[in-house]
Structures are given as structure tokens and as C-alpha cells.
Amino acid sequence: MSTVARNENGESDVVELTPVTPVHGGHCLARLDGRVVFVRHTLPGERVRARLTDASRRGHWRADAIEVLEPSADRVPSVWPEAGADGVGGGELAHVSLAGQRRWKKDVLVDALTRIGGLAPEAELLATLTVRAAAGDEDRNGLGYRTRIELVADQLGRAGMFRHRTHDVVPLETMPLAVPELEVGELLRREWRPGSRIDAVAPSIGPPMVLVDGVPLRSTRRAVREEVLVDDRRWTYRVAATGFWQVHDAAPSELVRSVLAAARPADGATVLDLYSGSGLLTVPLAEAVGESGVVHAIEGEARAVRDARRNVHDHRQVHLHEGPVNRVLGTTLAGTRPDVVVLDPPRAGAGEAVVEQVLSTRPERVVYVACDPAALARDVAYAREHGYTLDALDAVDLFPHTHHVETVALLTPA
């Protein structure tokens, strides 16, 4: 059911909708006179009044819920109202209970893996799939986990974030997803140079750091140290302050544990670590294969490779390769026959060409780390075309109150 309201000019801009199902990106799918409408700030089964934010497309439209007429049982008071309708991006599920968020993300994963990945809806892996909480998130209601935030100053020098799908800066009063060590309140009260970018980083070792347009505010340091703990094992890393590192404070440990459990690299094995970054997974993999094994790590970003060289310095079994993954696989590592391949590609996924290169070597196990369900599903579909099956899937909510979900998938020969 849907109804259309008219504004004072007689134009339709507010509609009444009943969203049906969650879809990728933090939206719910609804229909308006047969047209698909992607609605934010609502939940499946609710009845809402929504303002159309993009009705220019011939295909789907977009809308923001502005009034809840019949709420879902999973609706809670938003933990971050500034990320609500007409607000900043980055907190699109702030109005959903944590349990509801994890069910939402499971539904999105299952939809992607069936509709795009080609898995049967009744497959046992999908029927038993759950999205688990990261360590500590239940106790803190999924708040205070981000160790890295990026702000931008508006024309009056006020720190904020971009309004969803725009380049308009919205000054912020709060940022509840950030770890307390970042002292976000102080950053938001301060006046900055208009247009400047403010990066705040709270590493696991040492004091927080603030950089303005890439320049440290109070020190000459441009790198931070991170510690990763898994059971009785401990690894330390050096990472560029504005370089890539997992933003959830528990994410590095969660991912290392999950990847090692899926990869199970034996002593003496040959492992490919693709999109290896600064070596988060490379170092634990190197220790797992021992001095008689080999880990080939491929990364295209020069700054990350520089950090990785320091992080793997004591592991002679690691060979670092700088360059695009597909090029290095096709040249330097052509003919290599790995036992295990680990991929942690950018959000867009590895793509068909890389998947084909990897699987042509017939590794025993392929471990694929993904934060985008659609990209994961596309690459799973490519893998299935090349004789591999999705054998296991660990889904963990490393981005509470957002639509993102991290997965560690195990692919094995069918």
C-alpha cells in the first residue's frame, strides 16, 4: 500500500510506504504504484511517511523516512540522530537494535549470495548463517569502536561530515561511534581552517594523533603502532597514520583469528596474500607456514608496501611484491602453485580476472575477506564457474550502526 501527499505547490514529495525487505546500502525496498523505492531510516514491515529525495530516475527512486506510523519491534531511539534523515552518512542503521542490525545484514548477505552468487536459497550454509557481534560490542551497545575518523571543516571552520550523497558539510555535535580516546567533543568544538580535512587516529599503542590535511597537529610522527592479540599470540605493526587499518578496535584480532582458522596453512606451505596492505595478515600467515614455507604478499599501494617491509622484516619467508595484483600474478608469480590463497580486496571486490588467475592455480583453499555483500557474491559466482564452492562463511559485524558487514569466506575445489 502507498499513498502520495502533496506539498503547497501541488507537487508530490511525501509518500506513505510499507517497506518490505532490507537491501544493500542501508535501504529498505518499497513499492509506489509499481515503482521501486529505496527508503532509508526505516525497517521492513513498518509503515512510514517518507520524503522523496531522488525521483528523477526512470528506474528506482530514493526516499528518507520522516515519520513512523507503525514501528517495527526492532526500532530503537537513534543512537546518532545527526545521521538521520537529511543528516550525515555513516550511521544509517542507528535506529535499529543491535540484534535487528545483525538480522538485517544476514538477510542482505543471503539475498546477495542467492540472487548474485547463484547459491540455492535452501543451502545449509545460508540456512544456518548468522552475523556475530565483535568482541565487546554487546556491552557498549555497538558504540565507541571506531579508532579512526575523518572530519571536514565547513566554511565557518566547524568540523563535520558530508550530508548523505552530497558534498555539503554538516557540522556535528556528536560522533558516538568513535572510541573515547579520540576526545571527539574537543575536535568538534575547535575552529578549523575552512575546507580542511581532519583525521583523528587512536592506535592501540601510544597516544592518539590528529592530522590536518595530512600534517600532524602536535607531533612530527606520521606513523602509528598497532598491536594485534589472538589467544596467546601477539603481533605489532607500524602503519602510516592516514594509511589503511581496520577501523573497529577489535577488527584486526577478529580477522586474523578468522582467516587463520579458514586458511589452516601447514608448516612449509606456499601462501599468496593478495591485497596485503601493511601486512596485517601477512605476518601471522608467515609464522603459520614456518621458515620452510613461503608467503608471497602483493600490494599496489606504495605507502602500504613501505610499512609492510618494516612489519615483515624478521620473516625471511615473506616476499613482498608491489604492483597491481593481476599484473604480479601474471608476471613475477606466473607458474606459482600455492597451497592457500588469501584475498582481502577493496570494497569493489577482486573481479573476474583476478579470481580466474587465482583459481587457475588450483589452490586447496581460498580465503576471501569482504566488506561488501554484492562484491563477495559476484566473486563467489565467478569461483563457482571455475569449479570452486563456498564451503564456509564467517560473518562478523565490524561496523555497528552502519550497513556494512565483514565476511571471511572459504572457497574449496568442488
Side-chain angles (χ1 to χ4, degrees):
M1 173 183 174
S2 62
T3 59
V4 181
R6 303 278 172 177
N7 62 22
E8 60 185 7
N9 298 319
E11 300 167 331
S12 61
D13 61 359
V14 176
V15 296
E16 189 175 306
L17 299 168
T18 302
V20 177
T21 184
V23 293
H24 184 53
H27 308 84
C28 284
L29 185 148
R31 293 189 181 275
L32 178 66
D33 299 329
R35 182 186 296 274
V36 169
V37 183
F38 292 145
V39 193
R40 299 174 75 238
H41 314 300
T42 186
L43 289 103
E46 291 190 328
R47 189 164 62 89
V48 299
R49 296 180 72 242
R51 178 182 297 113
L52 295 173
T53 58
D54 184 356
S56 62
R57 301 171 180 266
R58 290 186 177 180
H60 64 266
W61 287 356
R62 296 178 182 271
D64 283 350
I66 57 174
E67 181 182 357
V68 180
L69 304 176
E70 294 179 8
S72 163
D74 284 322
R75 178 173 284 276
V76 297
S78 175
V79 299
W80 191 16
E82 290 171 283
D86 202 37
V88 299
E92 52 277 352
L93 299 189
H95 62 288
V96 185
S97 69
L98 286 183
Q101 291 181 36
R102 293 195 286 271
R103 286 193 296 271
W104 175 306
K105 295 175 185 186
K106 173 201 168 180
D107 290 346
V108 170
L109 274 168
V110 170
D111 173 71
L113 288 168
T114 54
R115 183 172 47 85
I116 304 172
L119 274 66
E122 64 275 11
E124 181 180 359
L125 183 146
L126 299 184
T128 59
L129 178 66
T130 60
V131 176
R132 61 183 179 87
D137 276 347
E138 286 289 354
D139 293 337
R140 56 187 176 184
N141 194 30
L143 301 174
Y145 66 86
R146 286 194 66 106
T147 62
R148 285 154 169 77
I149 64 170
E150 180 183 327
L151 303 169
V152 61
D154 70 2
Q155 292 306 305
L156 298 179
R158 301 171 298 183
M161 294 172 59
F162 291 117
R163 179 175 282 111
H164 178 64
R165 300 193 62 191
T166 76
H167 294 290
D168 301 330
V169 179
V170 179
L172 289 176
E173 295 183 4
T174 62
M175 209 296 183
L177 306 188
V179 294
E181 292 82 354
L182 287 178
E183 299 182 343
V184 172
E186 179 182 340
L187 298 178
L188 298 179
R189 288 189 295 269
R190 179 169 179 162
E191 184 176 332
W192 303 91
R193 183 174 65 254
S196 59
R197 167 182 160 175
I198 304 107
D199 288 287
V201 181
S204 53
I205 300 176
M209 180 186 298
V210 176
L211 302 94
V212 181
D213 293 328
V215 179
L217 188 62
R218 299 188 183 95
S219 74
T220 58
R221 294 182 301 122
R222 292 179 180 266
V224 296
R225 294 180 65 214
E226 297 285 357
E227 179 181 71
V228 177
L229 300 172
V230 175
D231 302 326
D232 60 347
R233 291 169 291 181
R234 174 181 178 272
W235 299 278
T236 58
Y237 300 81
R238 176 197 184 277
V239 185
T242 56
F244 177 78
W245 189 255
Q246 292 288 334
V247 298
H248 193 296
D249 54 2
S253 296
E254 293 277 7
L255 288 177
V256 168
R257 180 183 289 107
S258 185
V259 167
L260 288 178
R264 298 193 313 199
D267 188 69
T270 296
V271 177
L272 299 186
D273 182 13
L274 312 183
Y275 312 95
S276 54
S278 55
L280 170 62
L281 301 175
T282 313
V283 175
L285 288 168
E287 292 190 4
V289 302
E291 293 183 1
S292 61
V294 176
V295 176
H296 291 285
I298 308 177
E299 171 57 46
E301 208 268 317
R303 178 174 58 181
V305 174
R306 288 196 297 271
D307 287 341
R309 292 195 189 284
R310 295 182 176 89
N311 295 329
V312 305
H313 181 266
D314 296 330
H315 298 84
R316 295 185 178 180
Q317 64 271 56
V318 174
H319 301 273
L320 293 177
H321 306 273
E322 182 179 341
V325 167
N326 63 330
R327 189 183 71 196
V328 175
L329 289 177
T331 55
T332 308
L333 296 182
T336 301
R337 292 292 179 263
D339 301 294
V340 178
V341 178
V342 175
L343 304 89
D344 187 4
R347 186 164 296 162
E352 184 174 13
V354 169
V355 171
E356 183 175 356
Q357 284 178 300
V358 166
L359 299 187
S360 67
T361 66
R362 307 307 293 176
E364 297 174 7
R365 306 173 80 82
V366 176
V367 180
Y368 190 118
V369 183
C371 64
D372 185 291
L376 169 68
R378 283 194 299 268
D379 287 346
V380 165
Y382 298 144
R384 294 177 71 244
E385 292 174 1
H386 288 83
Y388 276 70
T389 184
L390 180 59
D391 196 52
L393 185 66
D394 181 25
V396 56
D397 190 7
L398 296 182
F399 309 91
H401 305 296
T402 81
H403 72 274
H404 301 292
V405 59
E406 196 83 12
T407 52
V408 176
L410 172 62
L411 300 163
T412 57

